[in-house]
Amino acid sequence: MSAIGSLRVVSEARPCDEDGLRALFLRQPGETAEPGAALFFEGDPACHVFHLISGNVRVCRFLPDGHRFIIGFLCAGDLVGLSFRSRYMFGAEAIDRVAFRRMNKRLFEEELQLAPEHRSQMLSHLRDEITASQDHMLLLSQKNAEERVCTFLLDRLDRTGTPGIVSLPMIRSDIADYLGMTIETVSRTLTKLVLKGIILPAEKHHFRVVSRSALARHANEANENDDHKGEAQRLLR
Amino acid sequence: MSAIGSLRVVSEARPCDEDGLRALFLRQPGETAEPGAALFFEGDPACHVFHLISGNVRVCRFLPDGHRFIIGFLCAGDLVGLSFRSRYMFGAEAIDRVAFRRMNKRLFEEELQLAPEHRSQMLSHLRDEITASQDHMLLLSQKNAEERVCTFLLDRLDRTGTPGIVSLPMIRSDIADYLGMTIETVSRTLTKLVLKGIILPAEKHHFRVVSRSALARHANEANENDDHKGEAQRLLR
DNA sequence: CGAGGCGTTGAATCCCATCAAGAAATGTGG
DNA sequence: CCACATTTCTTGATGGGATTCAACGCCTCG
């Protein structure tokens, strides 16, 4: 639980399958995007695949009534653009200063032809996206405000480099549009968790997690390692 | 809008990419499942890929608290099982009498090796699953009861063979668990749509759609062909 | 300093879930 | 075919959790 930078375990152990894919980008020049800038827009011709070097990106779609939905957040090491046909199905915007490499899709596919072992990595990546989507759907359809926020914090906790600290580089409205709630409810729920002693406000955009297990309990997660660990948590309640 | 059996257009025209994949199943023996029977269970080793010949299947996951979530519904022509690693991430249950073929996954992958053109069809299928998941997330996070039901009806309308008729072979609780609401709200919303004159109750498990465009308007869909048609609808409002 | 974006908190409202009851449909056995 | 049990569907009454509307403090930046 304290391993730094460990991958989030979705459902079974998974040694960094996609490292091979990432290696393809090393020849590409590094680029940067300023906060708020778009890497690409929803609806644009999908001609590049992206690899994030540093920084945070939000991935979003819009409804005709102006509502925004955030599909997810990307950070260092993440790939985006593999799951498109001819057009981007969503937009990607820099949250903070972002460094990335991009690769022409045609070129990317040629490389894939040359190195067939990358095929399975590609599939692997797509399967992960599907799994992530389904977990997200589960959250949206079944969880209440507190469970949503706790789930989100757990997720961020595993992505943040410092143990016991969760970093929220995005603003409240990003979180709200990701969790399917309003900024007010997000704010209220965070306050409630602080009052309950589960998290502590730390520096700007950071919280200290006092009790990971309490967080997990309040998140009502499906498989918080449904082995002995899960049992233990149930008994401790 | 009246073309029978036309594929639902997700975002761009797509000639039946996966027909090649489907052809692989023709050598497999036909099987059937009775209503309520499971094709496979969530958590089981994923050793088969399935191709539906006829009937309807619900695809679902369970939460530790007993809640059920329905990821989607399958019908004739659909494939399922492509997006798994070693275990099924969800279960599949027959809604009515179902005919299908199955294929050992290892065999399936060998066939894929032999016919590399199937690779892209495989990717295509996974991308469709991702798109569907994201549309579903959008529904769950942004839409109210009426919009959800209208979206669902539109979706079913395109899957039903008879123009102007939407078939709902599944029961209310299936719909509820798919749309993230209760059976009561589903029922009330359908009643409301009937009172509004948008749909008419037809035979058991069927509704007649009086006005597709009204349905689309109430669904608040993103891309109801965002060309002139969309404009026209806006003007007609 | 003032403007504007961001975050928090309060009060009122509303949509949907919950609880409850009954109607309609389906199935089963005599 | 009917009586009975069970499941499915609908409708009503009520309450609660989240949204909405509003105000205010904090911070950054020009």
Side-chain angles (χ1 to χ4, degrees):
Chain A
M1 77 177 239
S2 61
I4 305 177
S6 71
L7 276 180
R8 194 180 29 150
V9 175
V10 179
S11 71
E12 55 198 85
R14 158 169 76 90
C16 318
D17 264 348
E18 295 156 20
D19 281 353
L21 285 185
R22 292 188 234 279
L24 294 179
F25 288 83
L26 287 178
R27 290 191 197 165
Q28 306 300 315
E31 301 179 62
T32 60
E34 294 305 308
L39 273 65
F40 54 84
F41 292 96
E42 178 180 352
D44 276 2
C47 39
H48 290 96
V49 182
F50 295 80
H51 177 226
L52 286 204
I53 300 167
S54 69
N56 294 275
V57 167
R58 63 174 163 256
V59 157
C60 42
R61 288 181 62 177
F62 288 90
L63 276 85
D65 61 9
H67 275 148
R68 187 183 66 161
F69 170 59
I70 293 198
I71 295 168
F73 300 100
L74 306 173
C75 53
D78 285 339
L79 296 173
V80 61
L82 297 178
S83 58
F84 299 117
R85 302 176 173 289
S86 63
R87 289 186 176 276
Y88 294 118
M89 294 297 293
F90 49 74
E93 298 169 9
I95 290 173
D96 40 25
R97 185 164 238 270
V98 167
F100 64 94
R101 298 182 208 274
R102 82 171 96 187
M103 195 168 180
N104 186 285
K105 214 183 173 188
R106 206 170 286 171
L107 175 59
F108 181 78
E109 276 160 9
E110 283 168 14
E111 299 268 13
L112 240 52
Q113 296 291 355
L114 295 178
E117 75 273 16
H118 288 155
R119 284 281 174 188
S120 72
Q121 296 162 2
M122 176 85 180
L123 289 184
S124 202
H125 175 90
L126 293 181
R127 283 196 255 251
D128 283 346
E129 268 195 54
I130 292 175
T131 302
S133 293
Q134 289 180 357
D135 286 344
H136 199 179
M137 281 196 281
L138 226 139
L139 176 147
L140 292 171
S141 74
Q142 304 283 6
K143 294 189 174 183
N144 63 25
E146 189 172 305
E147 291 167 336
R148 290 182 195 206
V149 171
C150 288
T151 305
F152 180 63
L153 290 177
L154 275 178
D155 210 71
R156 296 300 310 176
L157 184 57
D158 296 338
R159 275 182 165 66
T160 306
T162 323
I165 294 288
V166 39
S167 155
L168 305 178
M170 67 293 292
I171 66 178
R172 292 288 183 271
S173 69
D174 289 339
I175 301 176
D177 289 346
Y178 176 69
L179 296 179
M181 38 204 275
T182 61
I183 54 173
E184 293 95 332
T185 306
V186 171
S187 180
R188 272 186 259 268
T189 307
L190 284 172
T191 304
K192 195 199 293 181
L193 293 179
V194 171
L195 292 178
K196 283 187 177 181
I198 298 174
I199 56 175
L200 284 176
E203 46 176 327
K204 181 100 187 156
H205 283 294
H206 288 267
F207 284 92
R208 171 168 295 280
V209 175
V210 177
S211 160
R212 190 192 208 280
S213 64
L215 206 52
R217 241 179 295 126
H218 284 78
N220 191 23
E221 280 292 9
N223 48 356
E224 183 65 19
N225 289 2
D226 21 63
D227 43 49
H228 22 85
K229 221 179 213 170
E231 301 279 5
Q233 281 177 7
R234 254 167 251 138
L235 292 173
L236 281 173
R237 207 183 281 215
Chain B
M1 79 176 239
S2 60
I4 305 178
S6 71
L7 276 180
R8 191 180 32 146
V9 174
V10 179
S11 72
E12 55 199 84
R14 159 168 75 91
C16 318
D17 262 348
E18 296 157 20
D19 280 353
L21 285 186
R22 293 187 234 279
L24 295 180
F25 288 83
L26 287 179
R27 292 189 194 167
Q28 305 300 314
E31 303 179 62
T32 60
E34 294 305 307
L39 274 65
F40 53 83
F41 293 95
E42 177 180 353
D44 276 2
C47 39
H48 289 96
V49 182
F50 294 79
H51 177 226
L52 285 204
I53 300 167
S54 69
N56 293 275
V57 167
R58 63 173 163 257
V59 157
C60 41
R61 287 179 63 175
F62 287 90
L63 278 87
D65 59 13
H67 276 148
R68 186 184 67 162
F69 172 59
I70 292 198
I71 296 167
F73 300 100
L74 306 173
C75 53
D78 285 340
L79 295 174
V80 61
L82 297 178
S83 59
F84 299 118
R85 302 176 175 289
S86 62
R87 292 186 174 275
Y88 294 118
M89 295 296 293
F90 47 73
E93 298 170 9
I95 290 173
D96 41 25
R97 185 165 238 271
V98 167
F100 64 94
R101 298 182 209 275
R102 81 171 96 188
M103 194 168 180
N104 186 286
K105 213 182 172 189
R106 207 171 285 170
L107 175 59
F108 181 78
E109 275 160 10
E110 283 168 15
E111 299 268 13
L112 239 54
Q113 297 291 353
L114 295 178
E117 74 272 17
H118 288 154
R119 284 280 175 190
S120 72
Q121 296 161 2
M122 176 85 181
L123 289 184
S124 202
H125 175 89
L126 292 182
R127 283 196 256 251
D128 283 346
E129 268 196 55
I130 292 175
T131 302
S133 294
Q134 288 180 358
D135 286 344
H136 198 178
M137 282 196 282
L138 218 141
L139 175 146
L140 291 171
S141 75
Q142 304 285 4
K143 295 188 174 183
N144 62 25
E146 189 171 304
E147 290 168 336
R148 291 181 194 207
V149 171
C150 288
T151 304
F152 180 64
L153 290 177
L154 274 177
D155 209 71
R156 296 298 311 174
L157 184 58
D158 296 338
R159 274 181 165 67
T160 307
T162 323
I165 294 287
V166 39
S167 154
L168 304 178
M170 68 293 293
I171 65 178
R172 293 287 184 272
S173 68
D174 288 339
I175 302 176
D177 289 346
Y178 176 70
L179 297 178
M181 39 204 275
T182 61
I183 55 173
E184 293 96 330
T185 305
V186 171
S187 180
R188 271 187 260 268
T189 308
L190 284 171
T191 304
K192 196 199 293 179
L193 293 178
V194 171
L195 292 178
K196 284 188 176 181
I198 298 174
I199 56 176
L200 285 175
E203 46 175 328
K204 181 90 192 163
H205 285 296
H206 289 265
F207 284 92
R208 171 167 295 280
V209 174
V210 178
S211 161
R212 190 193 209 279
S213 63
L215 206 51
R217 239 179 297 124
H218 284 77
N220 190 23
E221 279 292 9
N223 48 356
E224 185 64 18
N225 286 2
D226 20 62
D227 45 47
H228 22 83
K229 221 180 215 169
E231 301 279 5
Q233 281 178 4
R234 254 166 250 139
L235 293 173
L236 281 173
R237 209 184 281 218

